[in-house]
Amino acid sequence: MNTDPDCIFCKIVAGQIPAKKAYEDAELLAFHDIHPWAPVHVLIIPKLHLASLAEAGPEHEALLGRMLALAPRLMRELGVNDGFRSVINTGPNGGQEVYHLHMHVMGGPRPWARG
Ligand code: 5GP
Ligand code: ZN
């Protein structure tokens, strides 16, 4: 599996940096954002290192589908019943800060800190 030793999210996958995990399987990891915008704010990532959505190709279609399909299940499990926001920031103009593909999934009662 492709990993980047300098990538902060690869370090979370490897257990080298702690994170509050919400879900894990062979391909995916979900953990709570360290600076949440909403009462519930998780990041869903593939365990393999893919820098951004711009790097995704046809070989990643199933993985991307699994990331998206995990969002409603996770929100249900975390008690979010009134809707949620899913965001993937891509590249400098997309506001991406961490270059390991991740989907923000945010929910819970408003007002939110951001978003
Ligand atoms: P981006 O702007 O790249 O879409 O979002 C990166 C997100 O990763 C930010 O919301 C930031 O709070 C979160 N983040 C950055 N470093 C860490 C970390 O070490 N642990 C956790 N749990 N979240 C992080
Ligand atoms: Zn990575």
Side-chain angles (χ1 to χ4, degrees):
M1 185 163 68
N2 189 29
T3 63
D4 176 347
D6 298 323
C7 167
I8 188 166
F9 286 177
C10 284
K11 288 181 182 172
I12 288 176
V13 169
Q16 292 161 358
I17 292 179
K20 190 178 165 201
K21 291 180 186 177
Y23 176 85
E24 182 166 18
D25 65 30
E27 290 183 324
L28 302 180
L29 180 65
F31 54 93
H32 293 266
D33 197 291
I34 205 164
H35 293 127
W37 288 23
V40 175
H41 184 169
V42 296
L43 303 174
I44 298 177
I45 71 168
K47 286 189 166 178
L48 64 80
H49 180 82
L50 192 63
S52 82
L53 191 58
E55 320 292 319
E59 68 275 29
H60 300 113
E61 282 175 2
L63 190 65
L64 294 171
R66 292 201 62 228
M67 288 173 65
L68 202 55
L70 179 58
R73 172 180 159 190
L74 254 184
M75 289 299 105
R76 269 195 304 275
E77 286 176 8
L78 293 169
V80 173
N81 301 310
D82 252 350
F84 54 88
R85 176 172 288 186
S86 312
V87 174
I88 301 177
N89 298 321
T90 304
N93 288 340
Q96 186 175 3
E97 289 174 3
V98 176
Y99 278 78
H100 179 128
L101 174 64
H102 54 279
M103 179 166 68
H104 298 257
V105 188
M106 294 163 277
R110 289 182 178 271
W112 292 358
R114 293 174 72 183

